[in-house]
Amino acid sequence: MKIYKIPSELRAFIFDIDSTLYTNQAYAFEQVDCQVRQFAKERGITADEARRQVADYRKKFAAEHNGSKVSLGNTLLAFGVPIEQSVQWRRELLEPSDFLGRDEKLIETLKILQSKFKLICVTNNPVLPARKTLDAIGVSEFFPEIVGLDTCFKSKPALEPFETAVDLLSKASVADRGYEIKAENCIAVGDRYDMDIALPLKMGMGGILVSGVEEVYQIIKSVL
């Protein structure tokens, strides 16, 4: 876990989901590969050729952007696959319950955090498979709102998903706690610096980079 910044007046957590709130290499791979296979099917090429094209594009992007990573949604967009099509593929193809199970330790961790802070998820998956993922690991109740790929039709690290998350957090906080939440009151938690942390830091948020759910368990020690 690497802590970049903890806001002095912390009021909310913005969590990534995949490879952050669970650690499962098989599902992490399948999330990407099922879409690449669908892309191959649509283009009439082999899955291996599609994988090579995606890998080559990501390598080229990193070389041209100081090592920064690019999301799969934006990679497919570069190949002419609209974000709306990516959304539909993910809705149809992703079944997290085939890979994931209830995580009691995460449930206890989020229960403590929710008692002190507002929580929301921002993900590059559509809301439906994201909600299925939270259901599968047993933490859906802690996240009344999810900002997904089909919320703004923008893939992280775009600004819009994070701005939307702050707005939703603030409205919920005003309704039941009587105070607003601004970017500087939020901390972003995720497993990819380029996607989950870099932009929130520029927006004035805090940031914690994790390598998986095992490090999410430890966050309580850092913020309470």
PDB file of all heavy atoms in Angstrom, residues 49-63 75 79:
ATOM      1  N   GLU A  49      -4.703 -12.991 -32.360  1.00  0.00           N
ATOM      2  CA  GLU A  49      -4.399 -11.783 -33.121  1.00  0.00           C
ATOM      3  C   GLU A  49      -4.998 -10.557 -32.437  1.00  0.00           C
ATOM      4  O   GLU A  49      -4.367  -9.491 -32.366  1.00  0.00           O
ATOM      5  CB  GLU A  49      -4.941 -11.904 -34.548  1.00  0.00           C
ATOM      6  CG  GLU A  49      -4.828 -10.631 -35.389  1.00  0.00           C
ATOM      7  CD  GLU A  49      -3.399 -10.132 -35.580  1.00  0.00           C
ATOM      8  OE1 GLU A  49      -2.440 -10.928 -35.406  1.00  0.00           O
ATOM      9  OE2 GLU A  49      -3.241  -8.930 -35.903  1.00  0.00           O
ATOM     10  N   ALA A  50      -6.203 -10.692 -31.910  1.00  0.00           N
ATOM     11  CA  ALA A  50      -6.832  -9.583 -31.192  1.00  0.00           C
ATOM     12  C   ALA A  50      -6.043  -9.234 -29.937  1.00  0.00           C
ATOM     13  O   ALA A  50      -5.838  -8.048 -29.628  1.00  0.00           O
ATOM     14  CB  ALA A  50      -8.269  -9.940 -30.828  1.00  0.00           C
ATOM     15  N   ARG A  51      -5.597 -10.252 -29.219  1.00  0.00           N
ATOM     16  CA  ARG A  51      -4.776 -10.003 -28.026  1.00  0.00           C
ATOM     17  C   ARG A  51      -3.504  -9.253 -28.402  1.00  0.00           C
ATOM     18  O   ARG A  51      -3.065  -8.347 -27.681  1.00  0.00           O
ATOM     19  CB  ARG A  51      -4.441 -11.326 -27.335  1.00  0.00           C
ATOM     20  CG  ARG A  51      -5.630 -12.041 -26.717  1.00  0.00           C
ATOM     21  CD  ARG A  51      -5.207 -13.331 -26.020  1.00  0.00           C
ATOM     22  NE  ARG A  51      -6.372 -14.098 -25.590  1.00  0.00           N
ATOM     23  CZ  ARG A  51      -6.727 -15.267 -26.107  1.00  0.00           C
ATOM     24  NH1 ARG A  51      -5.988 -15.825 -27.062  1.00  0.00           N
ATOM     25  NH2 ARG A  51      -7.795 -15.895 -25.661  1.00  0.00           N
ATOM     26  N   ARG A  52      -2.896  -9.648 -29.523  1.00  0.00           N
ATOM     27  CA  ARG A  52      -1.663  -8.990 -29.957  1.00  0.00           C
ATOM     28  C   ARG A  52      -1.929  -7.528 -30.304  1.00  0.00           C
ATOM     29  O   ARG A  52      -1.148  -6.637 -29.921  1.00  0.00           O
ATOM     30  CB  ARG A  52      -1.083  -9.705 -31.169  1.00  0.00           C
ATOM     31  CG  ARG A  52       0.279  -9.157 -31.617  1.00  0.00           C
ATOM     32  CD  ARG A  52       0.696  -9.665 -32.977  1.00  0.00           C
ATOM     33  NE  ARG A  52      -0.210  -9.234 -34.032  1.00  0.00           N
ATOM     34  CZ  ARG A  52      -0.222  -7.991 -34.527  1.00  0.00           C
ATOM     35  NH1 ARG A  52       0.621  -7.071 -34.066  1.00  0.00           N
ATOM     36  NH2 ARG A  52      -1.067  -7.671 -35.495  1.00  0.00           N
ATOM     37  N   GLN A  53      -3.025  -7.259 -30.999  1.00  0.00           N
ATOM     38  CA  GLN A  53      -3.347  -5.885 -31.373  1.00  0.00           C
ATOM     39  C   GLN A  53      -3.563  -5.013 -30.135  1.00  0.00           C
ATOM     40  O   GLN A  53      -3.083  -3.876 -30.072  1.00  0.00           O
ATOM     41  CB  GLN A  53      -4.592  -5.856 -32.259  1.00  0.00           C
ATOM     42  CG  GLN A  53      -4.379  -6.410 -33.660  1.00  0.00           C
ATOM     43  CD  GLN A  53      -5.607  -6.272 -34.542  1.00  0.00           C
ATOM     44  OE1 GLN A  53      -6.535  -5.516 -34.230  1.00  0.00           O
ATOM     45  NE2 GLN A  53      -5.633  -7.011 -35.652  1.00  0.00           N
ATOM     46  N   VAL A  54      -4.298  -5.545 -29.170  1.00  0.00           N
ATOM     47  CA  VAL A  54      -4.555  -4.794 -27.937  1.00  0.00           C
ATOM     48  C   VAL A  54      -3.251  -4.550 -27.184  1.00  0.00           C
ATOM     49  O   VAL A  54      -2.978  -3.431 -26.715  1.00  0.00           O
ATOM     50  CB  VAL A  54      -5.574  -5.542 -27.056  1.00  0.00           C
ATOM     51  CG1 VAL A  54      -5.625  -4.941 -25.647  1.00  0.00           C
ATOM     52  CG2 VAL A  54      -6.959  -5.498 -27.700  1.00  0.00           C
ATOM     53  N   ALA A  55      -2.432  -5.574 -27.052  1.00  0.00           N
ATOM     54  CA  ALA A  55      -1.155  -5.442 -26.337  1.00  0.00           C
ATOM     55  C   ALA A  55      -0.235  -4.448 -27.034  1.00  0.00           C
ATOM     56  O   ALA A  55       0.416  -3.611 -26.382  1.00  0.00           O
ATOM     57  CB  ALA A  55      -0.476  -6.801 -26.220  1.00  0.00           C
ATOM     58  N   ASP A  56      -0.188  -4.504 -28.359  1.00  0.00           N
ATOM     59  CA  ASP A  56       0.667  -3.582 -29.119  1.00  0.00           C
ATOM     60  C   ASP A  56       0.202  -2.135 -28.952  1.00  0.00           C
ATOM     61  O   ASP A  56       1.024  -1.218 -28.812  1.00  0.00           O
ATOM     62  CB  ASP A  56       0.671  -3.955 -30.606  1.00  0.00           C
ATOM     63  CG  ASP A  56       1.494  -5.201 -30.901  1.00  0.00           C
ATOM     64  OD1 ASP A  56       2.203  -5.680 -29.990  1.00  0.00           O
ATOM     65  OD2 ASP A  56       1.410  -5.702 -32.049  1.00  0.00           O
ATOM     66  N   TYR A  57      -1.123  -1.929 -28.984  1.00  0.00           N
ATOM     67  CA  TYR A  57      -1.637  -0.568 -28.830  1.00  0.00           C
ATOM     68  C   TYR A  57      -1.297  -0.025 -27.440  1.00  0.00           C
ATOM     69  O   TYR A  57      -0.853   1.122 -27.299  1.00  0.00           O
ATOM     70  CB  TYR A  57      -3.152  -0.523 -29.043  1.00  0.00           C
ATOM     71  CG  TYR A  57      -3.714   0.858 -28.809  1.00  0.00           C
ATOM     72  CD1 TYR A  57      -3.656   1.821 -29.819  1.00  0.00           C
ATOM     73  CD2 TYR A  57      -4.253   1.217 -27.577  1.00  0.00           C
ATOM     74  CE1 TYR A  57      -4.139   3.110 -29.603  1.00  0.00           C
ATOM     75  CE2 TYR A  57      -4.726   2.504 -27.350  1.00  0.00           C
ATOM     76  CZ  TYR A  57      -4.669   3.438 -28.358  1.00  0.00           C
ATOM     77  OH  TYR A  57      -5.129   4.719 -28.143  1.00  0.00           O
ATOM     78  N   ARG A  58      -1.488  -0.854 -26.416  1.00  0.00           N
ATOM     79  CA  ARG A  58      -1.203  -0.406 -25.052  1.00  0.00           C
ATOM     80  C   ARG A  58       0.283  -0.113 -24.858  1.00  0.00           C
ATOM     81  O   ARG A  58       0.656   0.841 -24.176  1.00  0.00           O
ATOM     82  CB  ARG A  58      -1.690  -1.464 -24.052  1.00  0.00           C
ATOM     83  CG  ARG A  58      -3.206  -1.470 -23.906  1.00  0.00           C
ATOM     84  CD  ARG A  58      -3.692  -2.547 -22.973  1.00  0.00           C
ATOM     85  NE  ARG A  58      -4.914  -2.111 -22.287  1.00  0.00           N
ATOM     86  CZ  ARG A  58      -5.600  -2.858 -21.439  1.00  0.00           C
ATOM     87  NH1 ARG A  58      -5.197  -4.095 -21.162  1.00  0.00           N
ATOM     88  NH2 ARG A  58      -6.674  -2.397 -20.852  1.00  0.00           N
ATOM     89  N   LYS A  59       1.115  -0.922 -25.473  1.00  0.00           N
ATOM     90  CA  LYS A  59       2.557  -0.693 -25.382  1.00  0.00           C
ATOM     91  C   LYS A  59       2.932   0.619 -26.065  1.00  0.00           C
ATOM     92  O   LYS A  59       3.724   1.413 -25.536  1.00  0.00           O
ATOM     93  CB  LYS A  59       3.303  -1.858 -26.035  1.00  0.00           C
ATOM     94  CG  LYS A  59       4.821  -1.763 -25.925  1.00  0.00           C
ATOM     95  CD  LYS A  59       5.478  -2.992 -26.539  1.00  0.00           C
ATOM     96  CE  LYS A  59       7.002  -2.911 -26.436  1.00  0.00           C
ATOM     97  NZ  LYS A  59       7.652  -4.113 -27.037  1.00  0.00           N
ATOM     98  N   LYS A  60       2.360   0.869 -27.235  1.00  0.00           N
ATOM     99  CA  LYS A  60       2.618   2.106 -27.970  1.00  0.00           C
ATOM    100  C   LYS A  60       2.108   3.320 -27.192  1.00  0.00           C
ATOM    101  O   LYS A  60       2.776   4.358 -27.106  1.00  0.00           O
ATOM    102  CB  LYS A  60       1.947   2.036 -29.343  1.00  0.00           C
ATOM    103  CG  LYS A  60       2.206   3.234 -30.256  1.00  0.00           C
ATOM    104  CD  LYS A  60       1.624   2.950 -31.638  1.00  0.00           C
ATOM    105  CE  LYS A  60       1.917   4.107 -32.611  1.00  0.00           C
ATOM    106  NZ  LYS A  60       1.108   5.301 -32.303  1.00  0.00           N
ATOM    107  N   PHE A  61       0.921   3.194 -26.607  1.00  0.00           N
ATOM    108  CA  PHE A  61       0.347   4.286 -25.825  1.00  0.00           C
ATOM    109  C   PHE A  61       1.265   4.638 -24.657  1.00  0.00           C
ATOM    110  O   PHE A  61       1.540   5.816 -24.400  1.00  0.00           O
ATOM    111  CB  PHE A  61      -1.038   3.893 -25.303  1.00  0.00           C
ATOM    112  CG  PHE A  61      -1.736   4.987 -24.529  1.00  0.00           C
ATOM    113  CD1 PHE A  61      -2.600   5.852 -25.169  1.00  0.00           C
ATOM    114  CD2 PHE A  61      -1.516   5.145 -23.161  1.00  0.00           C
ATOM    115  CE1 PHE A  61      -3.234   6.871 -24.465  1.00  0.00           C
ATOM    116  CE2 PHE A  61      -2.153   6.157 -22.449  1.00  0.00           C
ATOM    117  CZ  PHE A  61      -3.009   7.022 -23.101  1.00  0.00           C
ATOM    118  N   ALA A  62       1.724   3.632 -23.936  1.00  0.00           N
ATOM    119  CA  ALA A  62       2.607   3.866 -22.794  1.00  0.00           C
ATOM    120  C   ALA A  62       3.893   4.565 -23.232  1.00  0.00           C
ATOM    121  O   ALA A  62       4.374   5.490 -22.566  1.00  0.00           O
ATOM    122  CB  ALA A  62       2.921   2.549 -22.097  1.00  0.00           C
ATOM    123  N   ALA A  63       4.440   4.126 -24.363  1.00  0.00           N
ATOM    124  CA  ALA A  63       5.686   4.723 -24.858  1.00  0.00           C
ATOM    125  C   ALA A  63       5.499   6.195 -25.210  1.00  0.00           C
ATOM    126  O   ALA A  63       6.421   7.001 -25.056  1.00  0.00           O
ATOM    127  CB  ALA A  63       6.189   3.948 -26.071  1.00  0.00           C
ATOM    128  N   THR A  75      -8.865   1.651 -25.238  1.00  0.00           N
ATOM    129  CA  THR A  75      -8.117   0.889 -26.244  1.00  0.00           C
ATOM    130  C   THR A  75      -9.053   0.429 -27.351  1.00  0.00           C
ATOM    131  O   THR A  75      -8.769   0.600 -28.545  1.00  0.00           O
ATOM    132  CB  THR A  75      -7.438  -0.331 -25.598  1.00  0.00           C
ATOM    133  OG1 THR A  75      -6.503   0.124 -24.617  1.00  0.00           O
ATOM    134  CG2 THR A  75      -6.699  -1.168 -26.631  1.00  0.00           C
ATOM    135  N   PHE A  79      -9.767   1.344 -31.654  1.00  0.00           N
ATOM    136  CA  PHE A  79      -9.976   0.401 -32.754  1.00  0.00           C
ATOM    137  C   PHE A  79     -11.361   0.558 -33.387  1.00  0.00           C
ATOM    138  O   PHE A  79     -11.791  -0.286 -34.171  1.00  0.00           O
ATOM    139  CB  PHE A  79      -9.791  -1.029 -32.268  1.00  0.00           C
ATOM    140  CG  PHE A  79      -8.356  -1.420 -32.040  1.00  0.00           C
ATOM    141  CD1 PHE A  79      -7.874  -1.599 -30.759  1.00  0.00           C
ATOM    142  CD2 PHE A  79      -7.482  -1.601 -33.104  1.00  0.00           C
ATOM    143  CE1 PHE A  79      -6.549  -1.954 -30.527  1.00  0.00           C
ATOM    144  CE2 PHE A  79      -6.159  -1.959 -32.895  1.00  0.00           C
ATOM    145  CZ  PHE A  79      -5.684  -2.125 -31.606  1.00  0.00           C
TER     146      PHE A  79
END
